[in-house]
Amino acid sequence: MVLEMRRPVSTAGRRSRLGFWAAYAASSVGTGLALPFLGHYFHNVQGRSSLGTALLLGALAAANVVCALGMGHKIDKLGPRPIVVVATVLQLSGYLVLATTAGLHPVVGVVLIGAGNGLFNAGLPALMRGLGNEDEHGHLFSVNYVLINLGLGAGALLGSVLTSDQAPDSYRIAFALNAASYVLLTIAVAMVPAARATATTGPGLKMRVLGDRRLMLLVATASLAMILGFAQLETAAPLLLQGILEAPSWTVGVFVALNSTAVVILQIPLSRLASRTVSPESLPLIMAVVWIVAAAVVLILVQVGHPVAGMFAFAVLFGLGECLFSPSFPVLLLRISPPDRLGSYGAFYSAGFTGSTTIGSVVAVLAIGYFSFVGYWIAMLAGAALLAVLAVRLRTAMATSATAVI
């Protein structure tokens, strides 16, 4: 994804656009305050077992995927704005459940959060169409991407300070602050001009979508990338740093901030360089190779007695590979989507993409619970190698003009 900040902002959408971006930035900071510490809170602060923590995060993942998959028709029928408003209210409610001591089981909170996240990611692309014309959409999504990374980094730093005493009440305050940020986002979404989605439905549509081998490989590769990488930044880092290495809480904030800073600084130049020198079909493989190197660097630094430094290096190197995700996978999705099934292809891709973030959290908790620190990074190295294999198969499939579509 290339950030084109030079595009003019239309006068008609300026107020809604700026209001949405301000609320989106606040919500991203709130997410950074809460989400990276969720697994650590369940496992180390509340004292739940690795399996218990994994089940909670698994419930979040299940709610996420189910709601994302079921929203294509509703968005087409009602428009994205009411769906996204419901999504923000659900996430607000979920974090309020975690922030209170009213006796509700945390599973209620994580299911609400997962359902809201699934609805939000399913409806956001269509919602953004109401903030500008077609020529401005790349600019709008790029600004969103930068805001997410800046917000997550700032929020993680604030969260590490707020929860440095490891007291349960400190985490509840972080959850409450995140809930408050969703109040602002709900208001901003309600003010976005209405826009309708273009997802199509019809007899046999799901089978025609599932029969496209290129789509299956694209979703599998993107999902594995999410499981191995993106979700690890939200769940594995606090558990590895604070739970296994017993490092100070500020190291979690530094880890997330290093990653976010690397993405914000490198995203634009790497995207432009890639667009001139490498085809989108080759970028997933390059990303996988970078992540193999990142995991190997951790293992090397562990052997010389610097595991925390190894994780900091991983955060930066992973960010380098992460910058190749946006200019590859979304572009490939558009290339393989037939015009009359663009909504269906996008919904299936979105469900796999968003669900994998929380599935990755479950995998991370289980791996950390049953592997040593070194064992975890060996598993990460093997997973990145598998990602490279899938990326090669995806590139081969994309190069073939014939497509097996039912």
Side-chain angles (χ1 to χ4, degrees):
M1 181 182 299
V2 181
L3 185 61
E4 296 287 353
M5 298 301 293
R6 65 179 179 272
R7 289 192 182 277
V9 178
S10 61
T11 302
R14 185 182 299 273
R15 182 173 300 177
S16 294
R17 188 178 305 184
L18 294 179
F20 177 81
W21 278 339
Y24 198 64
S27 178
S28 297
V29 173
T31 299
L33 271 170
L35 191 59
F37 304 96
L38 204 55
H40 175 74
Y41 173 71
F42 291 144
H43 187 54
N44 293 326
V45 177
Q46 289 193 331
R48 299 180 187 277
S49 66
S50 295
L51 179 59
T53 301
L55 288 174
L56 282 173
L57 296 177
L60 192 155
N64 190 327
V65 173
V66 169
C67 289
L69 282 174
M71 278 303 103
H73 177 67
K74 293 296 183 183
I75 293 172
D76 186 50
K77 181 179 180 180
L78 303 175
R81 186 170 59 186
I83 301 299
V84 179
V85 166
V86 170
T88 57
V89 172
L90 286 174
Q91 291 181 87
L92 183 160
S93 302
Y95 278 106
L96 280 181
V97 169
L98 299 182
T100 62
T101 56
L104 291 175
H105 195 280
V107 72
V108 176
V110 298
V111 167
L112 289 172
I113 293 168
N117 191 44
L119 295 181
F120 187 87
N121 286 310
L124 182 62
L127 180 79
M128 295 300 296
R129 296 167 63 196
L131 292 176
N133 56 47
E134 185 176 353
D135 290 338
E136 296 174 312
H137 288 165
H139 168 68
L140 299 178
F141 283 109
S142 295
V143 172
N144 281 3
Y145 187 76
V146 172
L147 290 176
I148 289 172
N149 281 279
L150 289 174
L152 286 176
L157 285 174
L158 292 173
S160 64
V161 174
L162 179 61
T163 61
S164 60
D165 58 2
Q166 297 298 299
D169 285 345
S170 297
Y171 288 89
R172 295 190 186 106
I173 292 173
F175 298 148
L177 289 173
N178 191 23
S181 73
Y182 279 109
V183 174
L184 299 177
L185 187 58
T186 301
I187 296 172
V189 169
M191 297 176 63
V192 171
R196 299 190 64 83
T198 57
T200 59
T201 58
L205 178 62
K206 290 184 179 179
M207 289 305 299
R208 293 198 300 272
V209 172
L210 296 178
D212 191 329
R213 181 171 176 267
R214 296 171 305 170
L215 177 63
M216 296 301 102
L217 282 171
L218 181 68
V219 172
T221 307
S223 297
L224 180 57
M226 296 295 293
I227 290 171
L228 289 177
F230 290 83
Q232 308 307 310
L233 298 176
E234 299 172 351
T235 300
L239 293 175
L240 289 169
L241 287 166
Q242 295 182 266
I244 294 182
L245 299 180
E246 298 182 350
S249 61
W250 59 263
T251 58
V252 177
V254 171
F255 180 93
V256 177
L258 283 171
N259 173 260
S260 298
T261 301
V263 170
V264 170
I265 293 175
L266 297 174
Q267 177 70 55
I268 299 172
L270 283 180
S271 295
R272 288 175 175 169
L273 178 64
S275 67
R276 294 195 300 265
T277 60
V278 184
S279 68
E281 290 84 354
S282 297
L283 291 179
L285 177 59
I286 298 173
M287 180 185 71
V289 171
V290 172
W291 288 356
I292 290 173
V293 172
V297 167
V298 178
L299 291 170
I300 292 171
L301 288 177
V302 167
Q303 297 304 312
V304 297
H306 298 290
V308 175
M311 289 199 61
F312 288 166
F314 175 84
V316 175
L317 289 172
F318 176 78
L320 175 64
E322 185 182 351
C323 291
L324 303 179
F325 192 99
S326 292
S328 58
F329 288 95
V331 173
L332 296 178
L333 176 65
L334 292 177
R335 287 188 178 184
I336 68 174
S337 301
D340 61 334
R341 301 175 210 161
L342 182 58
S344 298
Y345 274 55
F348 188 82
Y349 174 83
S350 176
F353 180 88
T354 58
S356 296
T357 62
T358 39
I359 292 171
S361 296
V362 175
V363 172
V365 169
L366 290 175
I368 291 169
Y370 296 102
F371 291 160
S372 65
F373 183 82
V374 171
Y376 176 88
W377 288 106
I378 291 175
M380 179 70 183
L381 187 64
L386 176 59
L387 178 65
V389 172
L390 282 176
V392 170
R393 295 190 63 185
L394 173 62
R395 184 175 63 176
T396 301
M398 292 296 300
T400 303
S401 57
T403 306
V405 181
I406 297 177

